[in-house]
Amino acid sequence: NKIIDIFGYEKIFIPDYELHALIALSYYPELDSTAIEFKSRKMRRLGNARPKMDFIFRKPANRHYVIIINKNAKKTLGFAFSDIPFNAQIGFFGHELAHITDYTEKNNLKLIFFGVKYLFMQKNIERYTDKITIEHNLGHQLYELTDFIIKNPDASEDYLKFKRNNYLNCEEILHEISIHNNLPDR
């Protein structure tokens, strides 16, 4: 398959979400040869992206990364990842790939310091990552993800509070999209 040959090089996908990940990857040509494994496991958040633990022994160009989807989301967040609409799932992958583009620009020492910094400046980092997602033309998908979560009656209060406190809200996403596309605000 030609799309897998182009965007799927050095990638390991979760079968149910391969197309979603490939579409998001198509907006990140700089990650074409970056090794990324997509996994699902139990966790407290919707998902995350990180370098594999052996990154300290690798040059930045040879690092491997992991994007994890919460397979226990229904229990911890109030909704399952599979409940999220297709386009919004692409927004999720786009956000996590934005983290990876940021990681690839850091040497190993800076990446270690970044991990520590994340503990104290999570809000700034996640909002910055949302902006990277928008710069990669996945703002509408990110908007759909945020809108789905914020308006979801099943979403847990803890997760809604976390989302509101650390990420761009729908109005901010639309504003950033208009800036990125040189459009007047709505």
Side-chain angles (χ1 to χ4, degrees):
N1 187 329
K2 197 168 193 151
I3 195 164
I4 291 174
D5 292 342
I6 296 170
F7 303 113
Y9 178 75
E10 292 284 330
K11 312 296 184 287
I12 299 171
F13 298 101
I14 300 168
D16 290 344
Y17 300 106
E18 181 177 41
L19 179 59
H20 312 71
L22 283 166
I23 291 170
L25 278 162
S26 73
Y27 289 85
Y28 291 89
E30 65 269 41
L31 298 177
D32 282 356
S33 60
T34 303
I36 303 172
E37 182 176 358
F38 297 83
K39 294 180 169 185
S40 73
R41 69 175 178 85
K42 293 179 181 179
M43 59 189 322
R44 294 179 51 202
R45 303 268 159 62
L46 186 58
N48 68 29
R50 61 177 72 153
K52 284 195 172 183
M53 294 309 285
D54 66 350
F55 79 90
I56 198 73
F57 304 109
R58 296 177 180 265
K59 293 179 181 178
N62 297 327
R63 285 190 201 129
H64 295 136
Y65 299 91
V66 180
I67 292 177
I68 301 169
I69 298 172
N70 183 350
K71 73 177 183 181
N72 200 32
K74 186 82 167 170
K75 184 175 180 182
T76 57
L77 308 179
F79 58 91
F81 191 83
S82 60
D83 294 339
I84 300 171
F86 183 86
N87 216 30
Q89 289 175 348
I90 294 168
F92 164 82
F93 286 114
H95 175 90
E96 299 308 327
L97 290 167
H99 277 297
I100 292 176
T101 62
D102 189 36
Y103 301 157
T104 61
E105 296 173 2
K106 294 175 175 28
N107 66 35
N108 291 341
L109 188 59
K110 286 182 180 178
L111 195 54
I112 291 168
F113 284 125
F114 175 84
V116 173
K117 180 177 153 184
Y118 187 84
L119 298 172
F120 302 101
M121 299 183 70
Q122 185 172 356
K123 178 177 183 171
N124 293 344
I125 292 168
E126 292 299 350
R127 292 171 63 84
Y128 173 72
T129 304
D130 278 349
K131 290 177 183 182
I132 293 173
T133 308
I134 293 164
E135 289 168 6
H136 280 81
N137 296 311
L138 287 166
H140 294 287
Q141 292 83 350
L142 182 66
Y143 175 89
E144 285 189 39
L145 175 65
T146 301
D147 188 59
F148 170 81
I149 293 169
I150 297 301
K151 291 181 179 174
N152 189 324
D154 298 323
S156 73
E157 274 307 312
D158 285 345
Y159 188 65
L160 288 173
K161 183 178 177 184
F162 170 76
K163 183 77 173 160
R164 286 186 193 111
N165 289 339
N166 292 293
Y167 296 82
L168 295 177
N169 64 40
C170 288
E171 285 182 21
E172 291 169 321
I173 292 170
L174 290 176
H175 177 73
E176 291 296 327
I177 290 170
S178 70
I179 290 171
H180 175 69
N181 293 322
N182 295 317
L183 300 171
D185 267 336
R186 294 183 199 186

